[in-house]
Amino acid sequence: MTAARTLRTAALAALPVLATHAAPVVSTFGPLRNRALPRLSGRGRPDHVALTFDDGPDPVSTPHFLRLLAAREVHATFFLLGVQARRSPGLVREIAAAGHEIGIHGWLHRPLLLRGPRATYDDFARARDTVAAITGRQPTLFRPPYGVMSAGAHLAAHRLGLTPVLWTCWGEDWTARATAESVHRTVTRDLDGGGTILLHDSDCTSAPGAWHSALGALPRILDSCAERGFEVGRLRDHGWPARGARHPGTFPERRSSTVP
């Protein structure tokens, strides 16, 4: 057998494994996900909008968001990166003390499709345990980097007692060209009752200074929600997830600190 034929045979044999690993990626496509997988999209009660932030905490930017939210008497859900939480434990405690909900965004902001089951599990566990040690409360929500799930990610999340949740609308606030106006326009274009908004309170994985666009847009986003009769708050206030419900295709929860 030639080397080329051997490689081709090996690649064909690996396709079923790769397909199984990557199959949940279809949930990344927003319109399809929002219709077919409402729980994964964070769809809640129709008179409420969940406000969520990714990539923090960041001592440069996050305090600005906390002050604005406090002034508007709004609570939100912050999906923290474990490595960022370790660097700023005091800020993590400040987020929790202000009444905001804390989920995890993984330890490092890396695509899950590039990781195997063991590495995925270890990443989630490290982030979860770090935040739990800082706040004294174990996170139960998880949002994958880039919004991309894998079969291994679903399995790891549920073994660690984590529920994955994405979003129904975002501000595209991570780019260098984003402005307060563009973020507000992009969010409200897809905003409806029961939706979940994604913004970023840090630029650690975005264009430098991109967080200013989200911060500038936030008051107008809150005003738009109020004008439409939507209450804004955390995912836990969103009627989501329904008690006892599970996301289709996920695995039974098992709390464990090691991979079997």
Side-chain angles (χ1 to χ4, degrees):
M1 182 180 290
T2 66
R5 185 177 178 185
T6 300
L7 289 174
R8 184 166 59 251
T9 301
L12 290 172
L15 282 177
V17 176
L18 292 173
T20 300
H21 180 59
V25 172
V26 297
S27 66
T28 305
F29 182 59
L32 175 61
R33 180 185 72 240
N34 292 344
R35 289 194 302 271
L37 303 170
R39 289 196 63 253
L40 183 59
S41 298
R43 180 66 64 182
R45 68 178 205 259
D47 62 340
H48 189 271
V49 167
L51 177 63
T52 69
F53 295 92
D54 284 6
D55 292 0
D58 188 325
V60 172
S61 53
T62 302
H64 293 282
F65 288 87
L66 295 179
R67 286 192 289 270
L68 193 158
L69 291 171
R72 297 291 296 256
E73 299 183 340
V74 171
H75 291 114
T77 301
F78 287 78
F79 288 95
L80 307 183
L81 288 169
V83 67
Q84 293 286 102
R86 183 183 64 180
R87 292 169 181 163
S88 302
L91 188 51
V92 175
R93 287 190 285 268
E94 184 178 346
I95 293 171
H100 301 295
E101 184 175 31
I102 294 179
I104 65 166
H105 200 33
W107 181 259
L108 295 173
H109 201 280
R110 293 179 179 170
L112 296 178
L113 290 180
L114 301 181
R115 297 181 173 189
R118 163 80 63 172
T120 297
Y121 183 96
D122 290 347
D123 180 273
F124 292 7
R126 189 179 185 189
R128 184 200 66 169
D129 294 347
T130 296
V131 170
I134 294 171
T135 65
R137 183 171 183 173
Q138 186 165 285
T140 59
L141 298 181
F142 166 72
R143 177 172 286 160
Y146 306 105
V148 177
M149 290 292 286
S150 66
H154 277 290
L155 179 60
H158 282 267
R159 284 177 170 170
L160 289 165
L162 299 168
T163 299
V165 55
L166 300 182
W167 57 86
T168 63
C169 59
W170 60 9
E172 296 184 1
D173 54 347
W174 58 86
T175 68
R177 65 179 181 277
T179 64
E181 292 73 20
S182 72
V183 172
H184 173 260
R185 182 175 60 253
T186 304
V187 166
T188 54
R189 180 183 62 205
D190 296 321
L191 180 65
D192 62 355
T196 291
I197 298 171
L198 163 62
L199 296 173
H200 295 79
D201 64 305
S202 168
D203 62 7
C204 68
T205 65
S206 306
W211 62 270
H212 289 282
S213 65
L215 183 67
L218 187 53
R220 294 181 61 191
I221 291 172
L222 296 177
D223 290 343
S224 294
C225 288
E227 291 166 2
R228 300 182 188 189
F230 303 146
E231 179 187 351
V232 179
R234 304 162 294 191
L235 280 163
R236 76 169 67 157
D237 307 318
H238 201 37
W240 181 101
R243 181 173 296 181
R246 291 189 179 278
H247 183 273
T250 54
F251 300 84
E253 177 179 317
R254 189 173 87 185
R255 299 182 184 276
S256 171
S257 58
T258 59
V259 177

